[in-house]
Coordinates of all heavy atoms in Angstrom, one line a residue:
A255 N 7.7 58.5 -35.6 CA 8.0 57.4 -34.6 C 9.5 57.3 -34.3 O 9.9 57.2 -33.1 CB 7.5 56.1 -35.2
V256 N 10.3 57.4 -35.3 CA 11.8 57.4 -35.1 C 12.2 58.6 -34.2 O 13.0 58.5 -33.3 CB 12.5 57.4 -36.4 CG1 14.0 57.5 -36.2 CG2 12.2 56.1 -37.2
W257 N 11.7 59.8 -34.5 CA 12.0 61.0 -33.8 C 11.5 60.9 -32.4 O 12.2 61.3 -31.4 CB 11.4 62.2 -34.5 CG 11.4 63.4 -33.6 CD1 10.3 64.1 -33.2 CD2 12.5 64.1 -33.0 NE1 10.6 65.2 -32.4 CE2 12.0 65.2 -32.3 CE3 13.8 63.9 -33.0 CZ2 12.8 66.0 -31.5 CZ3 14.7 64.7 -32.3 CH2 14.1 65.8 -31.6
S258 N 10.3 60.4 -32.2 CA 9.8 60.2 -30.8 C 10.6 59.3 -30.0 O 10.9 59.6 -28.8 CB 8.3 59.7 -30.9 OG 7.4 60.6 -31.4
F259 N 11.1 58.2 -30.6 CA 12.0 57.3 -29.8 C 13.3 58.0 -29.5 O 13.8 58.0 -28.3 CB 12.3 56.1 -30.7 CG 13.3 55.1 -30.0 CD1 12.8 54.2 -29.0 CD2 14.6 55.2 -30.2 CE1 13.7 53.4 -28.4 CE2 15.5 54.3 -29.6 CZ 15.1 53.4 -28.7
A260 N 13.9 58.7 -30.5 CA 15.2 59.4 -30.2 C 15.1 60.5 -29.1 O 15.9 60.6 -28.2 CB 15.7 60.1 -31.5
A261 N 14.0 61.3 -29.2 CA 13.8 62.4 -28.2 C 13.5 61.9 -26.8 O 13.8 62.5 -25.8 CB 12.8 63.3 -28.7
N262 N 12.7 60.8 -26.7 CA 12.2 60.4 -25.4 C 13.0 59.2 -24.7 O 12.7 59.0 -23.6 CB 10.7 59.9 -25.6 CG 9.8 61.0 -25.9 OD1 9.4 61.7 -24.9 ND2 9.4 61.3 -27.1
C263 N 13.8 58.6 -25.4 CA 14.5 57.4 -24.8 C 15.3 57.9 -23.6 O 15.2 57.3 -22.5 CB 15.5 56.8 -25.8 SG 16.1 55.2 -25.3
F264 N 16.1 58.9 -23.7 CA 16.8 59.5 -22.6 C 16.4 61.0 -22.4 O 17.1 61.6 -21.5 CB 18.3 59.4 -22.8 CG 18.8 57.9 -22.9 CD1 19.1 57.4 -24.1 CD2 18.9 57.1 -21.7 CE1 19.5 56.0 -24.2 CE2 19.3 55.8 -21.8 CZ 19.6 55.3 -23.0
G265 N 15.4 61.4 -23.1 CA 15.0 62.8 -22.9 C 14.7 63.3 -21.5 O 15.2 64.3 -21.1
P266 N 13.9 62.5 -20.7 CA 13.7 62.9 -19.3 C 14.9 63.0 -18.4 O 14.8 63.5 -17.3 CB 12.7 61.8 -18.8 CG 12.1 61.2 -20.0 CD 13.2 61.2 -21.1
F267 N 16.0 62.4 -18.9 CA 17.2 62.3 -18.0 C 18.2 63.4 -18.2 O 19.2 63.5 -17.5 CB 17.9 60.9 -18.2 CG 17.0 59.8 -17.8 CD1 16.3 59.1 -18.8 CD2 16.8 59.4 -16.5 CE1 15.4 58.0 -18.5 CE2 16.0 58.3 -16.2 CZ 15.3 57.7 -17.1
Y268 N 17.9 64.3 -19.2 CA 18.8 65.4 -19.3 C 18.7 66.3 -18.1 O 19.7 66.8 -17.6 CB 18.5 66.2 -20.6 CG 19.0 65.5 -21.9 CD1 18.2 64.7 -22.6 CD2 20.3 65.7 -22.3 CE1 18.6 64.0 -23.7 CE2 20.7 65.1 -23.5 CZ 19.9 64.3 -24.2 OH 20.4 63.6 -25.3
T269 N 17.5 66.6 -17.6 CA 17.3 67.4 -16.4 C 17.8 66.7 -15.2 O 18.5 67.3 -14.3 CB 15.8 67.8 -16.3 OG1 15.3 68.3 -17.5 CG2 15.7 68.8 -15.2
I270 N 17.6 65.4 -15.1 CA 18.1 64.6 -14.0 C 19.6 64.7 -14.0 O 20.3 64.8 -12.9 CB 17.7 63.1 -14.1 CG1 16.1 63.0 -14.2 CG2 18.2 62.3 -13.0 CD1 15.4 63.5 -13.0
F271 N 20.3 64.6 -15.2 CA 21.7 64.7 -15.3 C 22.2 66.1 -14.7 O 23.2 66.1 -14.1 CB 22.1 64.5 -16.7 CG 23.6 64.8 -17.0 CD1 24.5 63.9 -16.6 CD2 24.0 65.9 -17.6 CE1 25.9 64.1 -16.9 CE2 25.3 66.2 -17.9 CZ 26.3 65.3 -17.5
M272 N 21.5 67.1 -15.0 CA 21.9 68.5 -14.6 C 21.8 68.5 -13.0 O 22.7 69.2 -12.4 CB 21.0 69.6 -15.2 CG 21.3 69.8 -16.7 SD 20.6 71.3 -17.3 CE 18.8 70.8 -17.4
F273 N 20.9 67.8 -12.4 CA 20.8 67.8 -11.0 C 21.9 66.9 -10.4 O 22.7 67.3 -9.5 CB 19.4 67.3 -10.5 CG 18.4 68.4 -10.5 CD1 17.3 68.3 -11.3 CD2 18.5 69.5 -9.7 CE1 16.3 69.3 -11.4 CE2 17.5 70.5 -9.7 CZ 16.4 70.4 -10.5
D274 N 21.9 65.7 -10.8 CA 22.8 64.7 -10.2 C 24.2 64.6 -10.8 O 25.1 64.3 -10.1 CB 22.1 63.3 -10.2 CG 21.0 63.1 -9.2 OD1 20.9 64.0 -8.4 OD2 20.2 62.1 -9.3
G275 N 24.3 64.8 -12.1 CA 25.5 64.6 -12.8 C 26.5 65.7 -12.6 O 27.7 65.5 -12.4
V276 N 26.0 67.0 -12.8 CA 26.9 68.1 -12.7 C 26.6 69.0 -11.5 O 27.3 70.1 -11.4 CB 26.8 68.9 -14.0 CG1 27.2 68.0 -15.2 CG2 25.4 69.5 -14.3
G277 N 25.6 68.7 -10.7 CA 25.4 69.5 -9.5 C 24.7 70.8 -9.6 O 24.9 71.7 -8.8
F278 N 23.9 71.0 -10.7 CA 23.1 72.2 -10.8 C 22.0 72.3 -9.7 O 21.5 71.2 -9.3 CB 22.4 72.2 -12.2 CG 23.1 73.0 -13.2 CD1 24.4 73.5 -13.0 CD2 22.5 73.3 -14.4 CE1 25.1 74.2 -14.0 CE2 23.2 74.0 -15.4 CZ 24.5 74.5 -15.2
S279 N 21.7 73.5 -9.3 CA 20.6 73.7 -8.4 C 19.3 73.9 -9.2 O 19.4 74.0 -10.4 CB 20.8 74.9 -7.5 OG 20.8 76.1 -8.3
A280 N 18.2 73.9 -8.5 CA 16.9 74.2 -9.2 C 16.9 75.5 -9.9 O 16.3 75.7 -11.0 CB 15.7 74.0 -8.2
L281 N 17.5 76.5 -9.2 CA 17.6 77.8 -9.9 C 18.4 77.8 -11.1 O 18.1 78.4 -12.1 CB 18.2 78.8 -8.9 CG 18.3 80.3 -9.4 CD1 17.0 80.8 -9.8 CD2 19.0 81.2 -8.3
D282 N 19.6 77.1 -11.1 CA 20.4 76.9 -12.3 C 19.6 76.3 -13.5 O 19.6 76.7 -14.6 CB 21.6 76.1 -12.0 CG 22.6 76.7 -11.1 OD1 22.7 77.9 -11.1 OD2 23.2 76.0 -10.2
V283 N 18.8 75.2 -13.1 CA 18.0 74.5 -14.1 C 16.9 75.5 -14.7 O 16.6 75.5 -15.9 CB 17.4 73.2 -13.6 CG1 16.5 72.6 -14.6 CG2 18.5 72.3 -13.2

Side-chain angles (χ1 to χ4, degrees):
V256 173
W257 163 242
S258 292
F259 178 84
N262 286 281
C263 191
F264 297 104
F267 297 98
Y268 285 93
T269 308
I270 303 298
F271 172 76
M272 287 191 288
F273 278 117
D274 284 348
V276 301
F278 264 8
S279 68
L281 181 58
D282 294 325
V283 176

